[in-house]
Amino acid sequence: MEKILVLDFGGQYNQLIARRVRECNVYSEVLSYKTDIDKIRQGGYSGIILTGGPASVFDDDAPRYDRELFELGLPVLGICYGAHLMAYMLGGSVSKAAIGEYGNVQLQIDDELSLLYKDIPSSTPCWMSHANSIAEAPAGFKVTSHTSDCKIASMENTSDKLYAVQYHPEVVHTPLGTEILRNFIYNVCGCKGDWIIASFVDEKVKELKQKVAGKKVLCALSGGVDSSVAALLMHKAAGDNLTCIFVDHGLLRKNEAEEVKAAFAGKFGINLVAVDASERFFSKLAGVTDPEQKRKIIGEEFIRVFEEEAKKIGTVDFLVQGTIYPDVIESGLGDAALIKSHHNVGGLPEHVDFKEIIEPLRDLFKDEVRKAGIELGLPHHMVARQPFPGPGLGVRIIGEVTPDKADILRDADAIFREELAKAGEDSKLSQYFAVLTNMRSVGVMGDERTYNYAVALRAVTTTDFMTADFGRIPYSVLEVVSSRIVNEVKSVNRVVYDITTKPPATIEFE
Ligand code: XMP
């Protein structure tokens, strides 16, 4: 299989570069700049992309790489910091610009014969974000484009197959950026494009079949995209030797448990142990108001229930985990690692007898997991599911969690989701949900004075879930949602819309 290496210098777009490469149907891997050169030499790569990064090449502690990297005979494309590094290491010069260049500018292509710019118009918008820039190209390099403030926006040394761009081809603000990356991957690296999800699914099933033949496999199914796709892949390989355990902690969204059962036990015919453990969770949560403690209780109880059910099955050979590629990268390979470990509820069960963990999705990005899900016949609404925290509605009920409150929230949340879908607003948002605030206030319904809960609506747009903006939902839609919630959901007499960004707030409202 063809592979492109994305060598990570701590840039915030490292994963985006890797995803773009895969969108061009070529497999990519992200490795830290600390990776040993021998590993790169033996990695079977067709080319290397050096990412951007926050450092300045002349800082003493700047992340650098051995000059040998440029002498492997492999094509290299440096992006932003990666471009500076190439210039600096190969004898050119980099300087700090008087004014940095940020945002959209017009790229003027000076060399239309450049392989990088095949079929790209001579003037095209690109996204810049830099304080430093290449002042002088190293010997043997030719400048191939500029902008009004940047005289070397790209350069290349075709005989050594070294390319550098100051702008960011990976972001959407460079509209032809993917085409430019594709030109590098296909025209310079000579790739043909053999990374296709359908073949990944076929290959993976084949590989898993060999590995698990005749052995027992256990999978914790949450109904989320990752565990669902992992379970389906595994089912293709292990058939009836796979058992999935689905724990309903009573804090799922409306109809979610039924949908999971109907799809997995029904449509797919998977051995599914569905446990309604809601009472256990509610009794453990009684009287608890601290959000962290609620998370801890739910996480631990989840593991206990899972262990008890697993025990009934006996010793299994393999335990399936829905780990995906961003989890692998984030766990410390690169400097761009943005740690979200606090979101991992529960961890691994300690009292389940299994011999080995299998992570069938550990090479896939989320969008690829979704594509694999479609390939495997997972219903669209399950593939397109928005992120849902492991502790479920438990983190969206402020204060004590009770069965009544969970019912109120489920109903309000279902109305919000339904109306957003009806208005076609759902696809514009990254995540949206209702929250049951612990606040009660006075209202009037008919001739009656009420003293009921306020429901908060939360909707955000985000690309990475690290920062987020609140969704600009039209008032007309909010109006319908508000009116339906106060009319149809008991114990709610007020609806508010959360207009806080992250930071300072978080996406969840707990
Ligand atoms: P916050 O609230 O920290 O959330 O801005 C960022 C994203 O993470 C999701 N989230 C979780 N996901 N288990 C998960 O799998 C969790 O415990 C958890 N807590 C928050 C949240 O929904 C958002 O998408």
Side-chain angles (χ1 to χ4, degrees):
M1 186 172 60
E2 297 165 341
K3 277 196 282 183
I4 295 285
L5 169 63
V6 176
L7 201 60
D8 179 14
F9 288 90
Q12 55 179 323
Y13 301 130
N14 63 351
Q15 291 193 28
L16 200 50
I17 298 171
R19 276 173 46 201
R20 293 284 179 253
V21 173
R22 293 191 189 190
E23 279 168 24
C24 298
N25 300 111
V26 175
Y27 186 71
S28 59
E29 279 176 4
V30 182
L31 292 178
S32 156
Y33 71 92
K34 293 173 188 152
T35 305
D36 195 77
I37 188 95
D38 282 334
K39 186 168 174 188
I40 297 179
R41 200 176 275 126
Q42 289 149 19
Y45 299 109
S46 305
I48 303 173
I49 298 179
L50 314 179
T51 75
S56 283
V57 275
F58 11 83
D59 292 348
D60 285 343
D61 54 356
R64 301 221 178 88
Y65 206 93
D66 223 71
R67 203 191 145 105
E68 256 184 294
L69 184 72
F70 303 105
E71 293 159 1
L72 295 173
L74 288 178
V76 182
L77 171 67
I79 297 178
C80 198
Y81 179 81
H84 304 160
L85 192 71
M86 187 184 285
Y88 183 82
M89 299 293 288
L90 299 178
S93 69
V94 174
S95 65
K96 192 166 175 56
I99 325 162
E101 208 184 7
Y102 300 93
N104 254 125
V105 293
Q106 204 63 15
L107 183 72
Q108 306 295 346
I109 293 167
D110 302 315
D111 179 3
E112 285 170 18
L113 295 178
S114 166
L115 291 179
L116 213 54
Y117 297 123
K118 188 165 182 295
D119 299 328
I120 305 289
S122 58
S123 177
T124 182
C126 72
W127 180 260
M128 289 288 195
S129 175
H130 64 107
N132 294 345
S133 55
I134 301 172
E136 250 179 290
F141 277 77
K142 178 178 183 191
V143 176
T144 53
S145 72
H146 70 278
T147 72
S148 55
D149 284 325
C150 177
K151 68 185 174 83
I152 307 181
S154 62
M155 61 173 195
E156 64 189 41
N157 174 339
T158 48
S159 52
D160 291 341
K161 298 187 195 153
L162 303 179
Y163 291 73
V165 296
Q166 175 60 73
Y167 55 90
H168 288 273
E170 69 276 22
V171 303
V172 288
H173 314 289
T174 302
L176 295 178
T178 304
E179 295 313 308
I180 294 171
L181 285 174
R182 189 190 304 273
N183 280 340
F184 174 70
I185 298 163
Y186 283 70
N187 302 341
V188 180
C189 302
C191 291
K192 304 269 184 291
D194 60 4
W195 173 248
I196 294 150
I197 285 296
S199 19
F200 165 83
V201 169
D202 288 348
E203 291 294 313
K204 199 46 135 190
V205 170
K206 252 190 242 158
E207 179 195 318
L208 291 172
K209 252 187 190 154
Q210 286 209 330
K211 193 172 169 101
V212 305
K215 309 241 171 83
K216 277 194 179 286
V217 187
L218 183 63
C219 175
L221 185 68
S222 71
V225 184
D226 302 341
S227 71
S228 298
V229 175
L232 286 182
L233 261 183
M234 213 26 149
H235 183 240
K236 283 222 155 186
D240 283 346
N241 282 329
L242 170 73
T243 305
C244 290
I245 298 179
F246 170 65
V247 178
D248 178 358
H249 48 28
L251 297 162
L252 295 168
R253 287 163 291 192
K254 196 159 186 158
N255 300 332
E256 204 165 3
E258 289 68 26
E259 279 172 13
V260 169
K261 284 185 246 174
F264 290 89
K267 178 174 177 209
F268 295 112
I270 292 180
N271 285 330
L272 180 73
V273 179
V275 200
D276 178 358
S278 44
E279 276 179 24
R280 278 177 69 157
F281 282 85
F282 285 123
S283 71
K284 282 264 153 80
L285 287 166
V288 182
T289 55
D290 176 64
E292 272 311 304
Q293 218 190 331
K294 286 196 276 186
R295 278 177 174 272
K296 221 168 148 233
I297 290 171
I298 299 169
E300 282 173 6
E301 195 60 13
F302 192 92
I303 296 287
R304 295 291 90 80
V305 177
F306 182 76
E307 285 174 346
E308 285 172 26
E309 294 303 321
K311 245 190 208 122
K312 295 181 194 160
I313 297 165
T315 303
V316 294
D317 298 281
F318 298 102
L319 181 71
V320 181
Q321 288 246 296
T323 317
I324 67 170
Y325 197 45
D327 306 329
V328 178
I329 303 177
E330 283 177 5
S331 59
L333 285 177
D335 259 16
L338 292 158
I339 314 289
K340 282 218 296 181
S341 56
H342 69 281
H343 289 323
N344 295 334
V345 194
L348 266 182
E350 291 162 30
H351 306 286
V352 173
D353 286 330
F354 62 90
K355 300 199 180 104
E356 197 184 326
I357 289 182
I358 301 193
E359 300 173 313
L361 308 178
R362 66 175 283 125
D363 295 329
L364 299 190
F365 282 109
K366 192 83 178 188
D367 45 342
E368 295 173 318
V369 175
R370 293 191 207 277
K371 282 188 200 151
I374 291 169
E375 203 57 46
L376 289 158
L378 196 65
H380 177 263
H381 68 275
M382 294 182 95
V383 173
R385 209 160 242 178
Q386 42 171 324
F388 186 60
L393 302 183
V395 301
R396 296 176 183 169
I397 294 171
I398 318 283
E400 188 188 7
V401 176
T402 65
D404 272 354
K405 283 182 172 174
D407 283 339
I408 295 172
L409 180 54
R410 245 189 295 275
D411 287 343
D413 184 66
I415 291 172
F416 188 33
R417 288 192 289 138
E418 191 185 317
E419 291 301 331
L420 286 176
K422 218 190 270 172
E425 290 294 318
D426 53 348
S427 55
K428 300 178 195 159
L429 299 164
S430 312
Q431 202 174 351
Y432 46 94
F433 50 87
V435 174
L436 187 60
T437 72
N438 206 23
M439 184 193 77
R440 291 204 292 168
S441 64
V442 173
V444 52
M445 271 184 152
D447 292 329
E448 298 276 318
R449 175 188 183 279
T450 58
Y451 187 59
N452 280 337
Y453 287 113
V455 159
L457 305 175
R458 179 80 166 137
V460 296
T461 52
T462 172
T463 49
D464 57 8
F465 294 86
M466 305 290 172
T467 60
D469 194 5
F470 69 88
R472 279 15 180 210
I473 302 174
Y475 280 152
S476 53
V477 179
L478 288 172
E479 183 182 345
V480 178
V481 175
S482 161
S483 142
R484 279 197 59 195
I485 290 177
V486 289
N487 281 305
E488 295 173 36
V489 184
K490 64 166 183 145
S491 314
V492 177
N493 66 356
R494 207 175 279 268
V495 177
V496 297
Y497 186 50
D498 181 353
I499 52 167
T500 335
T501 55
K502 171 184 179 177
T506 55
I507 293 175
E508 293 296 338
F509 184 158
E510 56 191 302

